[in-house]
Amino acid sequence: MKISVINALPDDVKQELNNKLILSHFSGYEDLASWLFSKGFSISKSSVHRYGKKFKESLDKLKLATEQARAVAEAAGDDENSLGDALTRLAQQRAFEMLLNLQEIDPDKPVPIEVLPKLGRMVADLNRSGVTVKKYRTEVLERATKVAKEVEVTIKNKGLSDETASLIRAQVMGIVDG
């Protein structure tokens, strides 16, 4: 696999190139090649264009993922950690897509061997987090149910009606607003 000459640039020059690509709306590749030449790097406008195209695709994917996460957050609210669940599913989906397309991420740059274990660990951590949240949610619900029943028994023993006791129990459990 051929290594991109752009990826071999010093980090500060590559970062400046990235900024220039964004500011130029991913155009003016000849000017960017001339700018690189003035910095001491002989890189063709075609190489800059190929790099710019891949960089733009990466930014577009990041922007889409950000918009999706924002939409999930707005749509889900956070009742019963639905936002966390949705974001976990979104991250799992992205990790799965990455695993499927590992060699397509950047064909000019070999995938570092440590990427696969890191992706696997990330998926495992996401799954463990989901299990932990569900376990915690179940424990809280069980405690709330126990307390609500105790409150209902106490209220009935104090002479309140079954209807009032049920209403208070429902409010304690969060079944009724207000």
Side-chain angles (χ1 to χ4, degrees):
M1 210 180 294
K2 183 181 167 191
I3 296 176
S4 168
V5 291
I6 304 283
N7 287 328
L9 289 172
D11 288 341
D12 60 327
V13 175
K14 188 174 173 184
Q15 183 60 49
E16 195 171 347
L17 174 62
N18 290 343
N19 291 339
K20 288 181 177 292
L21 282 164
I22 292 168
L23 290 172
S24 69
H25 302 284
F26 297 90
S27 63
Y29 293 103
E30 194 169 321
D31 291 339
L32 291 170
S34 295
W35 170 78
L36 284 168
F37 187 77
S38 74
K39 293 277 196 184
F41 304 99
S42 181
I43 300 175
S44 70
K45 78 171 186 177
S46 297
S47 292
V48 176
H49 182 265
R50 278 191 303 275
Y51 174 79
K53 182 179 177 185
K54 290 175 189 169
F55 181 55
K56 183 177 184 323
E57 288 171 1
S58 296
L59 285 179
D60 289 344
K61 287 178 183 177
L62 180 61
K63 182 179 177 184
L64 177 63
T66 302
E67 288 170 358
Q68 288 174 340
R70 187 174 295 123
V72 166
E74 289 173 6
D78 203 28
D79 296 346
E80 298 184 20
N81 196 39
S82 56
L83 173 59
D85 290 344
L87 291 176
T88 297
R89 284 192 301 276
L90 183 61
Q92 288 170 327
Q93 174 195 0
R94 293 289 185 234
F96 182 69
E97 288 172 5
M98 249 178 137
L99 287 169
L100 290 177
N101 300 311
L102 247 171
Q103 292 305 317
E104 296 176 23
I105 292 172
D106 187 348
D108 292 339
K109 184 177 180 184
V111 176
I113 193 71
E114 65 273 3
V115 167
L116 190 57
K118 285 180 179 179
L119 270 174
R121 190 171 301 116
M122 181 187 79
V123 171
D125 289 346
L126 286 169
N127 288 334
R128 190 171 25 263
S129 170
V131 168
T132 301
V133 166
K134 288 175 185 161
K135 181 179 176 187
Y136 177 73
R137 189 182 304 150
T138 299
E139 290 172 2
V140 168
L141 181 60
E142 287 172 356
R143 283 187 297 209
T145 300
K146 181 181 176 190
V147 168
K149 286 180 183 177
E150 290 171 0
V151 167
E152 186 175 14
V153 168
T154 301
I155 289 170
K156 285 181 181 179
N157 288 340
K158 296 293 180 182
L160 291 177
S161 70
D162 287 347
E163 183 182 343
T164 302
S166 293
L167 178 62
I168 292 171
R169 182 176 186 274
Q171 288 179 330
V172 168
M173 293 298 298
I175 298 169
V176 178
D177 292 332

